[in-house]
Amino acid sequence: MRSISIIFALCVLAGCAAGPSLEELTAEALQTGDWSLVEKREARIAARRQPAPKCPPGAVAYCRSFMGDKTCDCVSNDSIQAVFSLRR
């Protein structure tokens, strides 16, 4: 069991380290003149920094992330409670 955990952790770490850093992308863009990858990376960084929306009383922010895109919506407390009551 422990070996499976170690293999999983190594795969996750390898996936995180696979892409070039922002500094490397910037250096490449200075040479090639193509800034599209730098702009995409900066947009993803900015999207991660966006705070959750301020929801009205009786609602909470529900955020989900898929492929680097984060979206947040306000969801009523009743909806959240209904989801948890279905799991019992």
Side-chain angles (χ1 to χ4, degrees):
M1 182 68 176
R2 182 182 166 125
S3 61
I4 293 173
S5 299
I6 291 172
I7 292 171
F8 178 74
L10 289 174
C11 290
V12 169
L13 289 174
C16 292
S21 68
L22 183 58
E23 290 79 19
E24 292 170 333
L25 290 175
T26 303
E28 184 179 330
L30 284 170
Q31 292 176 352
T32 64
D34 181 12
W35 289 85
S36 61
L37 293 176
V38 175
E39 291 168 355
K40 285 181 184 179
R41 176 71 61 88
E42 289 176 341
R44 284 189 300 224
I45 291 169
R48 278 188 252 145
R49 290 185 180 153
Q50 288 180 349
K54 295 192 187 263
C55 297
V60 294
Y62 171 72
C63 299
R64 56 202 169 278
S65 180
F66 180 73
M67 302 291 286
D69 294 328
K70 178 181 169 185
T71 57
C72 296
D73 297 307
C74 292
V75 180
S76 72
N77 290 339
D78 294 336
S79 298
I80 298 293
Q81 289 177 352
V83 169
F84 286 113
S85 66
L86 291 175
R87 292 185 177 180
R88 289 184 185 169

